[in-house]
Coordinates of all heavy atoms in Angstrom, one line a residue:
L434 N -12.7 -12.5 -28.0 CA -13.9 -12.6 -27.1 C -14.6 -11.2 -27.0 O -15.5 -11.0 -26.2 CB -13.5 -13.0 -25.7 CG -12.8 -14.4 -25.6 CD1 -12.3 -14.6 -24.2 CD2 -13.8 -15.5 -25.9
S435 N -14.3 -10.3 -27.9 CA -14.8 -9.0 -27.9 C -16.3 -8.9 -28.1 O -17.0 -8.0 -27.6 CB -14.1 -8.0 -28.9 OG -12.7 -8.0 -28.6
N436 N -16.8 -9.9 -28.9 CA -18.3 -9.9 -29.2 C -19.1 -10.7 -28.2 O -20.3 -10.8 -28.4 CB -18.5 -10.5 -30.6 CG -17.8 -9.7 -31.7 OD1 -17.8 -8.5 -31.6 ND2 -17.3 -10.4 -32.7
S437 N -18.5 -11.1 -27.1 CA -19.2 -11.8 -26.1 C -20.2 -10.9 -25.3 O -19.9 -9.7 -25.1 CB -18.3 -12.5 -25.1 OG -18.9 -13.0 -24.0
H438 N -21.3 -11.5 -24.9 CA -22.3 -10.7 -24.1 C -22.0 -10.9 -22.6 O -22.6 -10.2 -21.8 CB -23.7 -11.2 -24.4 CG -24.2 -11.0 -25.8 ND1 -24.4 -9.7 -26.3 CD2 -24.4 -11.8 -26.9 CE1 -24.8 -9.8 -27.6 NE2 -24.8 -11.1 -27.9
N439 N -21.1 -11.7 -22.3 CA -20.8 -12.0 -20.9 C -19.6 -11.0 -20.5 O -19.0 -10.4 -21.3 CB -20.4 -13.4 -20.7 CG -21.5 -14.4 -21.0 OD1 -22.6 -14.2 -20.5 ND2 -21.3 -15.3 -21.9
V440 N -19.4 -11.0 -19.2 CA -18.3 -10.1 -18.6 C -17.2 -11.0 -18.1 O -17.4 -12.0 -17.4 CB -18.9 -9.3 -17.4 CG1 -17.8 -8.4 -16.8 CG2 -20.1 -8.4 -17.9
F441 N -16.0 -10.6 -18.4 CA -14.8 -11.3 -18.0 C -14.0 -10.5 -16.9 O -14.2 -9.3 -16.8 CB -13.8 -11.5 -19.2 CG -14.4 -12.4 -20.2 CD1 -15.2 -11.8 -21.2 CD2 -14.2 -13.7 -20.2 CE1 -15.8 -12.6 -22.2 CE2 -14.8 -14.5 -21.2 CZ -15.6 -14.0 -22.2
A442 N -13.2 -11.2 -16.2 CA -12.4 -10.5 -15.1 C -11.1 -11.2 -14.9 O -10.9 -12.3 -15.4 CB -13.2 -10.5 -13.8
L443 N -10.2 -10.5 -14.3 CA -8.9 -11.0 -14.0 C -8.8 -11.4 -12.5 O -9.2 -10.6 -11.7 CB -7.8 -10.0 -14.4 CG -6.4 -10.4 -14.7 CD1 -6.4 -11.4 -15.9 CD2 -5.5 -9.2 -14.9
Y444 N -8.2 -12.5 -12.2 CA -8.1 -13.0 -10.9 C -6.6 -13.3 -10.5 O -5.8 -13.6 -11.3 CB -8.8 -14.4 -10.7 CG -10.3 -14.3 -10.9 CD1 -10.9 -14.1 -12.1 CD2 -11.2 -14.4 -9.8 CE1 -12.3 -14.0 -12.3 CE2 -12.5 -14.4 -9.9 CZ -13.1 -14.2 -11.2 OH -14.5 -14.1 -11.3
E445 N -6.4 -13.1 -9.2 CA -5.1 -13.6 -8.6 C -5.5 -15.0 -8.0 O -6.4 -15.1 -7.3 CB -4.5 -12.7 -7.6 CG -5.5 -12.2 -6.5 CD -4.8 -11.2 -5.6 OE1 -3.8 -10.7 -6.0 OE2 -5.4 -11.0 -4.5
Q446 N -4.6 -16.0 -8.2 CA -5.0 -17.3 -7.9 C -3.8 -18.2 -7.5 O -2.7 -18.0 -8.1 CB -5.7 -18.0 -9.2 CG -6.2 -19.4 -9.0 CD -6.6 -20.0 -10.4 OE1 -5.7 -20.4 -11.1 NE2 -7.9 -20.0 -10.6
N447 N -4.0 -19.1 -6.6 CA -3.1 -20.2 -6.4 C -4.0 -21.5 -6.2 O -5.2 -21.4 -6.4 CB -2.1 -20.0 -5.2 CG -2.8 -19.9 -3.8 OD1 -4.0 -20.2 -3.7 ND2 -2.1 -19.6 -2.8
S448 N -3.4 -22.6 -5.7 CA -4.1 -23.8 -5.7 C -5.2 -23.8 -4.6 O -6.2 -24.6 -4.7 CB -3.2 -25.0 -5.4 OG -2.5 -24.8 -4.2
H449 N -5.2 -22.9 -3.7 CA -6.2 -22.9 -2.6 C -7.0 -21.6 -2.6 O -8.0 -21.6 -1.8 CB -5.5 -23.0 -1.2 CG -4.6 -24.2 -1.1 ND1 -5.2 -25.5 -1.1 CD2 -3.3 -24.4 -0.9 CE1 -4.2 -26.4 -0.9 NE2 -3.0 -25.7 -0.8
Y450 N -6.7 -20.7 -3.4 CA -7.3 -19.3 -3.2 C -7.5 -18.7 -4.6 O -6.7 -18.8 -5.5 CB -6.4 -18.5 -2.3 CG -6.9 -17.1 -2.0 CD1 -7.9 -16.8 -1.1 CD2 -6.4 -16.0 -2.7 CE1 -8.3 -15.6 -0.8 CE2 -6.8 -14.7 -2.5 CZ -7.7 -14.5 -1.5 OH -8.1 -13.2 -1.3
E451 N -8.6 -17.9 -4.6 CA -8.8 -17.2 -5.9 C -9.6 -15.9 -5.5 O -10.6 -15.9 -4.7 CB -9.7 -18.0 -6.8 CG -9.9 -17.4 -8.2 CD -10.6 -18.3 -9.1 OE1 -11.8 -18.4 -9.0 OE2 -9.9 -18.9 -10.0
Q452 N -9.2 -14.8 -6.1 CA -9.8 -13.5 -5.8 C -9.8 -12.6 -7.0 O -8.7 -12.4 -7.6 CB -9.1 -12.9 -4.6 CG -9.7 -11.6 -4.2 CD -9.0 -11.1 -2.9 OE1 -9.1 -11.8 -1.9 NE2 -8.3 -10.0 -3.0
A453 N -10.9 -12.1 -7.4 CA -10.9 -11.2 -8.6 C -10.3 -9.9 -8.3 O -10.4 -9.3 -7.2 CB -12.3 -11.0 -9.1
L454 N -9.6 -9.3 -9.3 CA -9.0 -8.0 -9.1 C -10.1 -6.9 -9.5 O -10.8 -7.0 -10.5 CB -7.8 -7.8 -10.0 CG -6.7 -8.9 -9.8 CD1 -5.6 -8.7 -10.8 CD2 -6.1 -8.7 -8.3
S455 N -10.1 -5.8 -8.7 CA -11.0 -4.7 -9.1 C -10.4 -4.0 -10.4 O -9.3 -4.2 -10.7 CB -11.1 -3.7 -7.9 OG -9.8 -3.1 -7.7
K456 N -11.3 -3.3 -11.0 CA -10.9 -2.7 -12.3 C -9.7 -1.8 -12.2 O -8.9 -1.7 -13.1 CB -12.1 -1.9 -12.8 CG -13.3 -2.7 -13.2 CD -14.4 -1.8 -13.8 CE -15.6 -2.7 -14.2 NZ -16.7 -1.8 -14.8
A457 N -9.6 -1.0 -11.1 CA -8.5 0.0 -10.9 C -7.2 -0.6 -10.4 O -6.2 0.1 -10.3 CB -9.0 1.1 -10.0
T458 N -7.2 -1.9 -10.1 CA -6.0 -2.5 -9.6 C -4.8 -2.4 -10.6 O -5.0 -2.7 -11.8 CB -6.2 -4.0 -9.3 OG1 -7.2 -4.1 -8.3 CG2 -4.9 -4.7 -8.8
I459 N -3.7 -2.0 -10.2 CA -2.5 -1.9 -11.0 C -1.8 -3.2 -11.1 O -1.5 -3.8 -10.1 CB -1.5 -0.8 -10.5 CG1 -2.2 0.6 -10.6 CG2 -0.3 -0.8 -11.3 CD1 -1.4 1.7 -9.9
I460 N -1.7 -3.8 -12.3 CA -1.2 -5.1 -12.5 C 0.2 -5.3 -11.9 O 0.6 -6.3 -11.3 CB -1.2 -5.6 -13.9 CG1 -2.7 -5.5 -14.5 CG2 -0.6 -6.9 -14.1 CD1 -3.6 -6.5 -13.7
A461 N 1.0 -4.3 -12.1 CA 2.4 -4.3 -11.6 C 2.4 -4.5 -10.1 O 3.3 -5.1 -9.5 CB 3.2 -3.1 -12.0
D462 N 1.4 -3.9 -9.4 CA 1.3 -4.0 -7.9 C 1.0 -5.5 -7.6 O 1.6 -6.0 -6.6 CB 0.2 -3.1 -7.4 CG 0.7 -1.8 -6.9 OD1 2.0 -1.7 -6.6 OD2 0.0 -0.9 -6.7
T463 N 0.1 -6.1 -8.3 CA -0.2 -7.5 -8.1 C 1.0 -8.4 -8.3 O 1.3 -9.3 -7.5 CB -1.3 -7.9 -9.0 OG1 -2.5 -7.1 -8.8 CG2 -1.8 -9.4 -8.7
L464 N 1.8 -8.2 -9.3 CA 3.0 -9.0 -9.6 C 4.0 -8.8 -8.5 O 4.7 -9.7 -8.1 CB 3.6 -8.6 -10.9 CG 2.7 -8.9 -12.2 CD1 3.4 -8.4 -13.4 CD2 2.3 -10.3 -12.2
T465 N 4.1 -7.5 -7.9 CA 5.0 -7.3 -6.8 C 4.6 -8.1 -5.6 O 5.4 -8.7 -4.9 CB 5.0 -5.8 -6.5 OG1 5.5 -5.1 -7.6 CG2 5.9 -5.5 -5.3
R466 N 3.3 -8.1 -5.4 CA 2.8 -8.9 -4.2 C 3.0 -10.4 -4.4 O 3.4 -11.1 -3.4 CB 1.3 -8.7 -4.0 CG 0.7 -9.1 -2.7 CD -0.5 -8.3 -2.3 NE -1.5 -8.4 -3.3 CZ -2.4 -9.5 -3.3 NH1 -2.3 -10.4 -2.4 NH2 -3.3 -9.5 -4.2
F467 N 2.9 -10.9 -5.6 CA 3.3 -12.3 -5.9 C 4.8 -12.5 -5.5 O 5.1 -13.5 -5.0 CB 3.1 -12.6 -7.4 CG 1.6 -12.7 -7.8 CD1 1.3 -12.8 -9.1 CD2 0.6 -12.6 -6.8 CE1 0.0 -12.9 -9.5 CE2 -0.7 -12.7 -7.2 CZ -1.0 -12.8 -8.6
E468 N 5.6 -11.6 -5.9 CA 7.1 -11.7 -5.6 C 7.3 -11.7 -4.1 O 8.1 -12.5 -3.6 CB 7.8 -10.5 -6.2 CG 9.3 -10.6 -6.0 CD 10.1 -9.4 -6.7 OE1 10.4 -9.5 -7.9 OE2 10.3 -8.5 -5.9
N469 N 6.6 -10.9 -3.4 CA 6.7 -10.8 -1.9 C 6.2 -12.1 -1.3 O 6.8 -12.7 -0.3 CB 6.0 -9.6 -1.3 CG 6.5 -8.3 -1.8 OD1 7.7 -8.2 -2.2 ND2 5.7 -7.3 -1.7
L470 N 5.1 -12.6 -1.8 CA 4.5 -13.9 -1.2 C 5.4 -15.1 -1.5 O 5.5 -16.0 -0.7 CB 3.1 -14.1 -1.8 CG 2.0 -13.1 -1.3 CD1 0.7 -13.3 -2.0 CD2 1.8 -13.3 0.2
S471 N 6.0 -15.1 -2.7 CA 6.9 -16.2 -3.1 C 8.1 -16.3 -2.2 O 8.6 -17.4 -2.0 CB 7.3 -16.1 -4.5 OG 8.1 -15.0 -4.7
C472 N 8.5 -15.2 -1.6 CA 9.6 -15.2 -0.6 C 9.2 -15.8 0.7 O 10.0 -16.4 1.4 CB 10.2 -13.8 -0.4 SG 10.9 -13.1 -1.9
K473 N 7.9 -15.7 1.0 CA 7.4 -16.2 2.3 C 6.9 -17.6 2.2 O 7.0 -18.4 3.1 CB 6.3 -15.3 2.9 CG 6.8 -13.9 3.1 CD 5.6 -13.0 3.5 CE 6.0 -11.6 3.7 NZ 4.9 -10.7 4.1
E474 N 6.3 -18.0 1.1 CA 5.6 -19.3 0.9 C 6.4 -20.1 -0.1 O 6.7 -19.6 -1.2 CB 4.2 -19.1 0.4 CG 3.3 -18.2 1.3 CD 2.0 -17.8 0.7 OE1 1.8 -18.2 -0.5 OE2 1.2 -17.1 1.3
K475 N 6.7 -21.3 0.2 CA 7.5 -22.2 -0.7 C 6.6 -23.3 -1.2 O 5.6 -23.7 -0.5 CB 8.7 -22.7 0.1 CG 9.6 -21.7 0.6 CD 10.3 -20.9 -0.5 CE 11.2 -19.8 0.1 NZ 11.8 -19.0 -1.0
G476 N 6.9 -23.9 -2.3 CA 6.2 -25.0 -2.8 C 5.3 -24.7 -4.0 O 4.9 -23.5 -4.2
F477 N 4.9 -25.7 -4.7 CA 4.1 -25.5 -5.9 C 2.7 -25.0 -5.6 O 2.1 -24.2 -6.3 CB 3.9 -26.9 -6.6 CG 3.0 -26.9 -7.8 CD1 3.4 -26.3 -9.0 CD2 1.7 -27.4 -7.7 CE1 2.5 -26.3 -10.1 CE2 0.8 -27.3 -8.7 CZ 1.2 -26.8 -10.0
E478 N 2.1 -25.5 -4.4 CA 0.7 -25.1 -4.1 C 0.6 -23.6 -3.8 O -0.5 -23.1 -3.9 CB 0.3 -26.0 -2.9 CG 0.1 -27.4 -3.2 CD -0.4 -28.2 -2.1 OE1 -0.4 -27.7 -1.0 OE2 -0.8 -29.4 -2.3
S479 N 1.7 -23.0 -3.4 CA 1.6 -21.6 -3.0 C 2.0 -20.7 -4.2 O 2.1 -19.5 -4.0 CB 2.5 -21.3 -1.8 OG 3.8 -21.6 -2.2
R480 N 2.2 -21.2 -5.4 CA 2.6 -20.4 -6.5 C 1.4 -19.6 -7.1 O 0.3 -20.1 -7.3 CB 3.1 -21.3 -7.7 CG 3.8 -20.6 -8.8 CD 4.4 -21.5 -9.8 NE 3.5 -22.4 -10.4 CZ 3.8 -23.4 -11.2 NH1 5.1 -23.7 -11.5 NH2 2.8 -24.1 -11.8
W481 N 1.6 -18.3 -7.1 CA 0.6 -17.4 -7.5 C 0.6 -17.1 -9.0 O 1.7 -17.1 -9.6 CB 0.7 -16.1 -6.8 CG 0.4 -16.2 -5.3 CD1 1.2 -16.6 -4.3 CD2 -0.9 -16.0 -4.7 NE1 0.5 -16.6 -3.1 CE2 -0.8 -16.3 -3.3 CE3 -2.2 -15.6 -5.2 CZ2 -1.8 -16.1 -2.5 CZ3 -3.2 -15.4 -4.3 CH2 -3.1 -15.7 -3.0
R482 N -0.5 -16.8 -9.6 CA -0.6 -16.5 -11.0 C -1.8 -15.6 -11.3 O -2.7 -15.5 -10.5 CB -0.6 -17.7 -11.9 CG -1.9 -18.6 -11.6 CD -1.9 -19.8 -12.5 NE -3.1 -20.6 -12.3 CZ -3.4 -21.6 -13.1 NH1 -2.5 -22.1 -13.9 NH2 -4.6 -22.3 -12.9
L483 N -1.8 -14.9 -12.5 CA -2.9 -14.2 -12.9 C -3.8 -15.1 -13.8 O -3.3 -15.8 -14.6 CB -2.5 -13.0 -13.8 CG -1.8 -11.8 -13.0 CD1 -1.3 -10.8 -14.0 CD2 -2.8 -11.2 -12.1
Y484 N -5.1 -15.0 -13.5 CA -6.0 -16.0 -14.2 C -7.2 -15.2 -14.8 O -7.8 -14.3 -14.1 CB -6.6 -17.0 -13.2 CG -7.1 -18.2 -13.8 CD1 -6.3 -19.2 -14.4 CD2 -8.5 -18.5 -13.8 CE1 -6.9 -20.4 -14.9 CE2 -9.1 -19.6 -14.3 CZ -8.2 -20.6 -14.9 OH -8.8 -21.7 -15.4
F485 N -7.5 -15.4 -16.1 CA -8.5 -14.7 -16.8 C -9.7 -15.6 -17.1 O -9.5 -16.7 -17.7 CB -7.9 -14.2 -18.1 CG -8.9 -13.5 -19.0 CD1 -9.4 -12.3 -18.8 CD2 -9.4 -14.2 -20.2 CE1 -10.3 -11.7 -19.7 CE2 -10.3 -13.7 -21.0 CZ -10.7 -12.4 -20.8
K486 N -10.9 -15.2 -16.7 CA -12.1 -16.1 -16.9 C -13.4 -15.3 -16.8 O -13.4 -14.1 -16.6 CB -12.1 -17.3 -16.0 CG -12.3 -16.9 -14.5 CD -12.4 -18.2 -13.7 CE -12.8 -17.9 -12.2 NZ -13.0 -19.1 -11.4
L487 N -14.5 -16.0 -17.0 CA -15.8 -15.4 -17.0 C -16.2 -14.9 -15.6 O -15.9 -15.6 -14.6 CB -16.9 -16.4 -17.4 CG -17.0 -16.6 -18.9 CD1 -17.8 -17.9 -19.3 CD2 -17.7 -15.4 -19.6
Y488 N -16.8 -13.7 -15.5 CA -17.2 -13.2 -14.2 C -18.7 -13.1 -14.0 O -19.3 -13.5 -13.1 CB -16.5 -11.8 -14.1 CG -16.9 -11.0 -12.8 CD1 -16.8 -11.6 -11.6 CD2 -17.2 -9.7 -12.9 CE1 -17.2 -10.9 -10.5 CE2 -17.5 -9.0 -11.8 CZ -17.5 -9.6 -10.6 OH -17.8 -8.8 -9.4
C489 N -19.4 -12.4 -15.0 CA -20.8 -12.3 -15.0 C -21.4 -13.1 -16.2 O -21.0 -12.9 -17.3 CB -21.3 -10.9 -15.1 SG -20.9 -9.9 -13.7
F490 N -22.4 -14.0 -15.9 CA -23.0 -14.8 -16.9 C -24.3 -14.2 -17.4 O -25.3 -14.4 -16.8 CB -23.3 -16.2 -16.3 CG -22.0 -16.9 -15.9 CD1 -21.5 -16.7 -14.6 CD2 -21.3 -17.8 -16.7 CE1 -20.3 -17.3 -14.2 CE2 -20.2 -18.5 -16.3 CZ -19.7 -18.2 -15.0
L491 N -24.2 -13.4 -18.4 CA -25.4 -12.7 -18.9 C -26.1 -13.4 -20.0 O -27.4 -13.4 -20.1 CB -25.0 -11.3 -19.4 CG -24.3 -10.4 -18.4 CD1 -23.8 -9.1 -19.1 CD2 -25.2 -10.1 -17.3
N492 N -25.4 -14.2 -20.8 CA -26.0 -14.9 -21.9 C -25.1 -16.2 -22.2 O -24.1 -16.1 -22.8 CB -26.1 -14.1 -23.2 CG -26.8 -14.7 -24.3 OD1 -27.0 -16.0 -24.3 ND2 -27.2 -14.0 -25.3
I493 N -25.6 -17.3 -21.7 CA -24.8 -18.5 -21.8 C -25.5 -19.5 -22.8 O -24.9 -20.6 -23.1 CB -24.7 -19.2 -20.4 CG1 -26.1 -19.4 -19.8 CG2 -23.8 -18.4 -19.5 CD1 -26.0 -20.1 -18.4
E494 N -26.6 -19.1 -23.4 CA -27.3 -20.0 -24.3 C -26.8 -19.8 -25.8 O -26.9 -20.7 -26.6 CB -28.8 -19.8 -24.2 CG -29.4 -20.1 -22.9 CD -29.2 -21.5 -22.5 OE1 -29.1 -22.4 -23.3 OE2 -29.1 -21.8 -21.2
D495 N -26.4 -18.6 -26.1 CA -26.0 -18.3 -27.5 C -24.5 -18.4 -27.7 O -24.1 -17.8 -28.8 CB -26.6 -16.9 -27.8 CG -28.1 -16.8 -27.7 OD1 -28.7 -17.9 -28.0 OD2 -28.6 -15.7 -27.4
V496 N -23.8 -19.0 -26.9 CA -22.3 -19.1 -27.1 C -22.1 -20.2 -28.1 O -22.5 -21.4 -27.9 CB -21.6 -19.4 -25.7 CG1 -20.1 -19.5 -26.0 CG2 -21.9 -18.3 -24.7
A497 N -21.3 -19.9 -29.1 CA -21.0 -20.9 -30.1 C -20.1 -22.1 -29.5 O -19.2 -21.8 -28.7 CB -20.2 -20.2 -31.3
K498 N -20.5 -23.3 -29.9 CA -19.8 -24.5 -29.3 C -18.4 -24.6 -29.7 O -17.6 -25.3 -29.1 CB -20.6 -25.7 -29.7 CG -22.0 -25.7 -29.1 CD -22.8 -27.0 -29.5 CE -24.2 -27.0 -28.9 NZ -24.9 -28.3 -29.2
D499 N -18.0 -24.0 -30.9 CA -16.6 -24.1 -31.3 C -15.8 -22.9 -30.9 O -14.6 -22.8 -31.4 CB -16.6 -24.3 -32.8 CG -17.2 -23.1 -33.5 OD1 -17.9 -22.3 -32.8 OD2 -17.0 -23.0 -34.8
S500 N -16.3 -22.1 -30.0 CA -15.6 -20.9 -29.5 C -14.8 -21.2 -28.3 O -15.0 -22.1 -27.5 CB -16.5 -19.8 -29.3 OG -17.4 -20.0 -28.2
L501 N -13.8 -20.3 -28.0 CA -13.0 -20.4 -26.8 C -13.9 -20.1 -25.6 O -13.7 -20.7 -24.5 CB -11.9 -19.4 -26.8 CG -11.0 -19.3 -25.6 CD1 -10.2 -20.6 -25.4 CD2 -9.9 -18.2 -25.8
E502 N -14.9 -19.2 -25.7 CA -15.8 -18.9 -24.6 C -16.6 -20.1 -24.2 O -16.8 -20.3 -23.0 CB -16.8 -17.8 -25.1 CG -17.6 -17.3 -23.9 CD -18.5 -16.1 -24.4 OE1 -18.5 -15.8 -25.6 OE2 -19.2 -15.6 -23.5
Y503 N -16.9 -21.0 -25.1 CA -17.6 -22.2 -24.7 C -16.8 -23.1 -23.9 O -17.3 -23.8 -22.9 CB -18.1 -23.0 -26.0 CG -19.2 -24.0 -25.8 CD1 -20.5 -23.6 -25.5 CD2 -18.8 -25.4 -25.7 CE1 -21.5 -24.6 -25.3 CE2 -19.8 -26.3 -25.5 CZ -21.1 -25.9 -25.3 OH -22.1 -26.9 -25.1
S504 N -15.5 -23.2 -24.2 CA -14.6 -24.0 -23.3 C -14.4 -23.3 -22.0 O -14.2 -24.0 -21.0 CB -13.2 -24.1 -24.0 OG -12.5 -22.9 -24.0
F505 N -14.5 -22.0 -21.9 CA -14.5 -21.3 -20.6 C -15.7 -21.8 -19.7 O -15.6 -22.1 -18.6 CB -14.6 -19.8 -20.8 CG -13.3 -19.1 -21.0 CD1 -12.3 -19.8 -21.7 CD2 -13.1 -17.8 -20.7 CE1 -11.1 -19.2 -22.0 CE2 -11.9 -17.2 -20.9 CZ -10.9 -17.8 -21.6
L506 N -16.9 -21.9 -20.4 CA -18.1 -22.3 -19.7 C -17.9 -23.8 -19.2 O -18.3 -24.1 -18.0 CB -19.3 -22.3 -20.6 CG -19.8 -20.9 -21.0 CD1 -20.9 -21.0 -22.1 CD2 -20.3 -20.1 -19.8
F507 N -17.3 -24.6 -20.0 CA -17.1 -26.0 -19.6 C -16.1 -26.1 -18.5 O -16.4 -26.8 -17.5 CB -16.6 -26.8 -20.8 CG -16.0 -28.1 -20.5 CD1 -16.9 -29.2 -20.1 CD2 -14.7 -28.4 -20.6 CE1 -16.3 -30.4 -19.8 CE2 -14.2 -29.6 -20.3 CZ -15.0 -30.6 -19.9
E508 N -15.0 -25.4 -18.6 CA -14.0 -25.5 -17.5 C -14.4 -24.9 -16.2 O -14.2 -25.5 -15.1 CB -12.7 -24.8 -18.0 CG -12.0 -25.4 -19.2 CD -11.3 -26.7 -18.8 OE1 -11.1 -27.0 -17.6 OE2 -10.9 -27.5 -19.7

Side-chain angles (χ1 to χ4, degrees):
L434 297 170
S435 302
N436 296 325
S437 172
H438 297 290
N439 299 306
V440 178
F441 297 86
L443 202 62
Y444 292 74
E445 54 183 14
Q446 181 191 78
N447 68 7
S448 58
H449 301 298
Y450 179 80
E451 185 175 79
Q452 181 171 299
L454 301 177
S455 65
K456 292 181 179 180
T458 300
I459 297 174
I460 298 301
D462 265 343
T463 303
L464 297 179
T465 298
R466 196 152 60 82
F467 290 173
E468 182 181 276
N469 296 338
L470 290 171
S471 66
C472 296
K473 300 177 183 178
E474 305 170 357
K475 303 296 182 182
F477 174 79
E478 293 184 345
S479 62
R480 190 172 64 186
W481 290 85
R482 64 180 185 174
L483 289 172
Y484 199 73
F485 173 78
K486 66 176 187 176
L487 282 163
Y488 176 47
C489 291
F490 300 83
L491 301 174
N492 186 343
I493 54 181
E494 298 299 332
D495 298 331
V496 178
K498 295 181 180 180
D499 59 347
S500 67
L501 180 62
E502 186 177 4
Y503 196 76
S504 69
F505 277 28
L506 291 173
F507 167 69
E508 294 289 346

